[in-house]
């Protein structure tokens, strides 16, 4: 099945890269939306509900931590799984993001297989 | 923090980030003087948390352009200069995150936003530096830890 996805990162190049790596990995993307920060993503979600969200942490306006916390606060969005995609591989940060509501975490740099594996784990896709 | 540990963390992070995200394997370590001679782009960021300091990357324009093309998957078109700059900033961000996590995975770090700087300004005094040959140019990395307060 193809999933609708939202990619949130302040770097346009990174958003493009994440999309490309999802395709390379064989993860099936139906519709794909992207936003440069948490605030833009929330605005877009109102009209474009998605199956899964991938978000960076370090972003201007509304960072990934504020974004995940806001999704968790709103009943309509709480059920959408969020995977953090960040350069920060420190244990404290990973634990903190999971505590506030993220379901998965992928550290940059990542391989296509690692990204796909984490997305499928979070979505509960059984291994083929 | 011993300088050898910092050097090794930079080398390991560079190999990992360049190969995994940019499909630009490191060919060899390069001499810093050589890496500093070609026209280049540079980006720098401040970090705080477990340790404070400055992290900078200087990359030859030719290497930056082919790296951006690899990153964006542009096989035919040359990326625009704004895209190349965005990719250099993202490279700086990823290298810094990767180096700091290697130096201390139990610490907490906050990375500032990478900013483009004049290529001559990338090398901060007293920084630990490493340079790498990428085939179509070189990249140099500079890590400066502030003195502990
Ligand atoms: Mg970012």
């Amino acid at each position: 099945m193809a999933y609708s996805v939202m990619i949130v990162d302040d770097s346009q190049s990174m958003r493009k890269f994440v999309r490309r790596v999802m395709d390379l990995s064989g993860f099936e993307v139906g519709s794909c939306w992207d936003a440069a920060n948490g605030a833009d993503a929330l605005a877009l979600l109102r009209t474009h509900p998605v199956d899964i969200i991938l978000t960076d942490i370090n972003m201007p306006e509304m960072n990934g931590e504020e974004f995940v916390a806001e999704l968790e606060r709103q009943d309509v969005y709480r059920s959408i799984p969020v995977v953090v995609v960040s350069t920060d591989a420190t244990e404290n940060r990973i634990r903190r993001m999971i505590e506030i509501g993220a379901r998965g975490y992928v550290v940059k740099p990542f391989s296509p297989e690692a990204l796909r594996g984490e997305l499928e784990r979070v979505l509960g896709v059984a291994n083929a | 923090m011993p300088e050898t540990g910092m050097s090794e963390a930079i080398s390991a992070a560079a190999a990992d980030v360049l190969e995994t995200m940019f499909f630009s394997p490191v060919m060899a370590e390069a001499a810093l003087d050589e890496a500093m001679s070609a026209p280049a782009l540079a980006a720098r960021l401040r970090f705080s948390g477990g340790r404070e300091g400055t992290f900078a990357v200087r990359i030859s324009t030719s290497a930056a352009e082919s790296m951006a093309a690899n990153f964006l998957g542009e096989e035919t078109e040359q990326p625009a200069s704004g895209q190349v700059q965005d990719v250099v900033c993202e490279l700086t961000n990823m290298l810094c995150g990767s180096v700091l996590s290697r130096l201390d995975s139990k610490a907490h770090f906050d990375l500032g936003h990478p900013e483009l700087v004049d290529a001559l300004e990338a090398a901060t005094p007293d920084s630990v530096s490493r340079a790498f040959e990428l085939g179509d140019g070189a990249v140099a990395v500079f890590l400066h830890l502030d003195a502990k307060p």
Side-chain angles (χ1 to χ4, degrees):
Chain A
M1 98 167 239
Y3 296 95
S4 57
V5 174
M6 185 172 291
I7 302 169
V8 189
D9 197 302
D10 57 327
S11 162
Q12 192 199 6
S13 307
M14 184 55 76
R15 298 197 299 270
K16 196 170 174 193
F17 179 80
V18 170
R19 172 66 212 264
R20 190 161 69 92
V21 170
M22 279 194 290
D23 289 340
L24 280 175
S25 77
F27 182 81
E28 270 189 77
V29 178
S31 48
C32 185
W33 311 96
D34 67 308
N37 60 61
D40 288 358
L42 283 170
L44 203 54
L45 276 174
R46 268 184 232 130
T47 44
H48 302 286
V50 295
D51 298 315
I52 190 164
I53 298 170
L54 289 79
T55 185
D56 183 22
I57 296 175
N58 208 350
M59 299 181 287
E61 306 272 335
M62 181 188 276
N63 67 32
E65 196 167 316
E66 294 160 340
F67 176 48
V68 172
E70 189 55 37
L71 291 171
E72 200 56 22
R73 249 193 302 276
Q74 299 195 29
D75 290 341
V76 274
Y77 301 137
R78 195 174 301 129
S79 60
I80 306 174
V82 178
V83 173
V84 175
V85 182
S86 171
T87 53
D88 194 334
T90 57
E91 293 167 17
N92 284 333
R93 177 75 73 179
I94 297 173
R95 191 179 321 118
R96 167 96 188 127
M97 293 307 291
I98 299 294
E99 266 168 19
I100 61 173
R103 310 257 185 96
Y105 203 107
V106 176
V107 175
K108 303 173 192 170
F110 52 82
S111 65
E113 298 72 33
L115 182 65
R116 179 182 178 168
E118 188 66 349
L119 295 177
E120 291 188 343
R121 183 188 71 75
V122 163
L123 286 162
V125 178
N127 280 346
Chain B
M1 198 168 288
E3 236 177 67
T4 47
M6 287 163 66
S7 259
E8 278 165 18
I10 293 173
S11 292
D16 193 13
V17 170
L18 292 168
E19 180 147 0
T20 314
M21 301 295 273
F22 296 93
F23 314 105
S24 305
V26 169
M27 316 285 278
E29 295 248 346
L32 194 58
D33 294 356
E34 259 170 67
M36 298 298 275
S37 59
L41 292 166
R44 186 171 62 201
L45 64 81
R46 287 280 306 162
F47 58 86
S48 58
R51 286 301 297 269
E52 295 195 3
T54 307
F55 188 90
V57 168
R58 182 190 200 276
I59 179 166
S60 69
T61 308
S62 56
E65 284 169 354
S66 61
M67 191 179 278
N70 285 349
F71 190 70
L72 298 166
E74 306 283 8
E75 270 136 39
T76 48
E77 252 173 84
Q78 190 61 246
S81 70
Q83 287 178 308
V84 177
Q85 292 170 352
D86 187 36
V87 170
V88 171
C89 287
E90 205 46 43
L91 167 70
T92 306
N93 182 42
M94 273 189 276
L95 281 173
C96 183
S98 182
V99 168
L100 295 179
S101 306
R102 277 164 213 273
L103 285 177
D104 191 350
S105 69
K106 303 221 186 295
H108 164 92
F109 291 106
D110 284 307
L111 270 55
H113 208 69
E115 277 170 10
L116 289 169
V117 292
D118 190 288
L120 295 171
E121 284 174 39
T124 40
D126 307 325
S127 50
V128 174
S129 59
R130 302 287 272 194
F132 309 96
E133 183 54 55
L134 301 174
D136 41 17
V139 58
V141 178
F142 304 89
L143 170 62
H144 173 81
L145 294 178
D146 295 353
K148 277 189 181 161

